[in-house]
Amino acid sequence: MRKSIPLLTLVGTSLLLAGCGSGGGLLSRARPDEFAVQRQAPLVVPPDFALTPPQPGAPRPTDANSQQQTLDALFGGSAPRSEIERSTVGRAGTPAPGIRTAVGDPRTNTVAKGEVTRDIIAAPQGDGREAQVSI
């Protein structure tokens, strides 16, 4: 009897702990992508209350996709250009018609930016999940 109590306790504890795992550990679970989350637009009540039912499949009028919101935040959306922007564009003038073919010309002077810039430009495209660092 004295030997069976510790044995039963050990077996019971082992069974309870075995139920906690799923076989892959804590790091193998599928998690949601925190960068794919998009905020919903706040609810707005129209002032005249003349509501019309939405058309099936039509996009919501107040929603904008996250890519368009990012572009608007970075570049100001469709706001008119400031006086400084207009003067800078005016001073720059129009580019030469063959500017893209002249870039590869051997007489074009270039500046070496170093290995870090070369590595950044040569990095594969993607969201960075497969990125590796070499020291």
Side-chain angles (χ1 to χ4, degrees):
M1 183 71 180
R2 297 185 124 208
K3 291 183 182 181
S4 63
I5 291 176
L7 183 63
L8 288 175
T9 305
L10 180 65
V11 170
T13 305
S14 299
L15 288 174
L16 288 174
L17 286 176
C20 293
S22 62
L26 293 174
L27 299 177
S28 67
R29 294 187 317 197
R31 292 178 177 82
D33 187 9
E34 64 269 14
F35 298 108
V37 176
Q38 181 176 345
R39 294 189 182 270
Q40 293 292 328
L43 294 176
V44 178
V45 177
D48 60 355
F49 299 106
L51 301 176
T52 58
Q55 298 296 325
R60 293 175 58 174
T62 58
D63 278 349
N65 61 6
S66 60
Q67 183 178 11
Q68 185 61 40
Q69 289 175 348
T70 305
L71 290 175
D72 290 344
L74 289 175
F75 302 112
S78 59
R81 290 186 173 172
S82 67
E83 184 61 36
I84 295 173
E85 287 178 304
R86 281 184 288 200
S87 67
T88 304
V89 171
R91 287 182 184 173
T94 58
I99 188 69
R100 293 191 184 269
T101 58
V103 171
D105 188 18
R107 294 176 290 174
T108 302
N109 296 328
T110 59
V111 178
K113 299 290 185 187
E115 294 181 9
V116 175
T117 306
R118 182 199 63 209
D119 293 342
I120 291 171
I121 293 172
Q125 291 183 356
D127 58 2
R129 290 184 183 168
E130 292 83 21
Q132 296 179 357
V133 177
S134 61
I135 299 176

